[in-house]
Amino acid sequence: MMNGQVEATFPLLLALLAHSLAACAMGTQDAEDGIRFERNSEFAGPHLRVFLTLLDGSEASVNTADDAIGTRPGETPIPGHEARDWTFLKDAEAGTTFAHALVSWDPANPADYLMAGWWIQFPGQHLPDLSFADTEQYGIVDGPEIDSAHPPELPPAGTATYSGDAGGVYAYVPKGDWDAAALDEFRGTITLSADFASRTLSGCIGCVGDLSTRRAHFGFILGNEVRDDRSLIADYELHLGAATISPEGTFETDGITVTHPERTQVSSEGFWGGQLSSIPNGDGEPRLVTGFSSVDFAESDGSEASIAGAFVAPADRSGDP
């Protein structure tokens, strides 16, 4: 049992988290359908409702008035915004929902907001007896500025760079030794380059600074003790291959290459994708890029790993002080 409520083995958690679903506005992503670009939240500061369509086609939602079990100030990547995050727990007839959401918004215009988080659904299960068998997991990034129904006006030419936070869950099984396996949260820096003439976007997670271990959101699942073994995660780089930007400002590709200065990858499979903001910065470029990345890989010594998460990357402004 973990935290007295959730029962799971490490191999099951690895499989669940490595192949989790993702949602954004943008929309919902799974291994079979890719990213479904759709809205998943409503915000009228400080009230938030998060909603999505589950795998059986039913609708589910949580909101800050009825389902929040914790809240605290949050960090925002957008100048002038305020931020707060919430944890939700809802036990309904169809099953239990456990979710987290961070919202960044303009206090003078709450309709200008960005939301990121994740959702775990336990169909047919109720507190306190929750098991990770047959659960559904979703990552979420949502907001009016990344709504593909209102695409950005991209510059006809030129380039732009973006950098920001990437984070999620990593799992590492060294040389097939499950007794030494690690499962934890990670954080790192994502850097992106946009070429508006060719309508492409590429980048890297971990090329600027090291990936690091943290315990930010999944204490409910993983426990509160952080295993800070930097050797398992620090020197990996995830090189994000060129993705074509659609007329709606969305992008998605399966091109991810994993590198490490001392380890050789013999196979890998993954994807990355997301949405460019419809709000321009002072240079006329989308002010940020949001999205997801996920990669599973094997190494020559028999080790296996998975690194999956979400990112928010504001534009680098050369003219800013």
Side-chain angles (χ1 to χ4, degrees):
M1 299 293 291
M2 294 186 178
N3 294 337
Q5 298 188 64
V6 179
E7 181 178 2
T9 62
F10 179 83
L12 179 58
L13 275 174
L14 172 60
L16 290 172
L17 295 174
H19 300 287
S20 62
L21 308 179
C24 53
M26 296 209 262
T28 303
Q29 175 273 326
D30 61 40
E32 294 181 357
D33 298 331
I35 297 176
R36 285 187 277 140
F37 295 91
E38 59 190 19
R39 293 304 308 271
N40 296 107
S41 69
E42 296 172 346
F43 182 71
H47 180 73
L48 171 70
R49 186 173 80 96
V50 184
F51 54 88
L52 50 78
T53 302
L54 301 176
L55 293 182
D56 64 1
S58 64
E59 300 292 327
S61 68
V62 293
N63 68 80
T64 50
D66 302 316
D67 309 310
I69 60 171
T71 184
R72 61 183 178 180
E75 298 180 2
T76 174
I78 304 175
H81 272 209
E82 297 179 358
R84 177 158 290 276
D85 69 25
W86 287 272
T87 300
F88 302 94
L89 185 62
K90 181 177 182 178
D91 193 345
E93 181 178 353
T96 299
T97 299
F98 180 58
H100 168 267
L102 170 68
V103 178
S104 167
W105 74 93
D106 181 348
N109 178 23
D112 174 11
Y113 78 91
L114 185 69
M115 174 259 177
W118 48 263
W119 179 302
I120 301 176
Q121 189 72 20
F122 298 82
Q125 301 184 46
H126 302 281
L127 295 169
D129 300 317
L130 300 182
S131 169
F132 266 89
D134 301 320
T135 57
E136 302 172 19
Q137 306 84 41
Y138 305 80
I140 301 170
V141 182
D142 187 54
E145 70 183 282
I146 52 170
D147 186 345
S148 58
H150 304 284
E153 294 186 10
L154 300 178
T159 61
T161 58
Y162 297 82
S163 63
D165 281 339
V169 176
Y170 78 92
Y172 188 80
V173 185
K175 301 178 182 179
D177 182 2
W178 284 98
D179 291 334
L183 175 68
D184 218 320
E185 293 181 75
F186 79 91
R187 184 175 186 175
T189 297
I190 184 170
T191 51
L192 298 170
S193 297
D195 186 321
F196 296 115
S198 64
R199 291 292 193 266
T200 57
L201 192 68
S202 59
C204 182
I205 299 173
C207 289
V208 174
D210 288 336
L211 301 183
S212 61
T213 301
R214 67 170 181 170
R215 183 60 49 81
H217 308 304
F218 289 98
F220 179 86
I221 301 166
L222 303 177
N224 294 320
E225 182 180 353
V226 178
R227 174 176 175 169
D228 191 15
D229 188 345
R230 290 173 55 81
S231 65
L232 296 180
I233 191 73
D235 293 329
Y236 282 103
E237 297 178 356
L238 309 183
H239 296 268
L240 311 174
T244 299
I245 303 170
S246 76
E248 292 75 32
T250 64
F251 58 94
E252 185 178 7
T253 183
D254 58 4
I256 297 183
T257 302
V258 180
T259 64
H260 189 285
E262 299 176 355
R263 300 171 187 162
T264 301
Q265 285 69 53
V266 295
S267 65
S268 66
E269 181 177 2
F271 82 96
W272 77 291
Q275 172 83 43
L276 280 74
S277 171
S278 62
I279 297 178
N281 61 18
D283 295 328
E285 306 152 351
R287 72 173 178 180
L288 54 82
V289 181
T290 65
F292 305 99
S293 66
S294 177
V295 62
D296 304 329
F297 56 95
E299 299 180 324
S300 59
D301 66 355
S303 299
E304 297 182 10
S306 173
I307 302 175
F311 62 83
V312 176
D316 295 323
R317 295 286 304 282
S318 60
D320 288 348

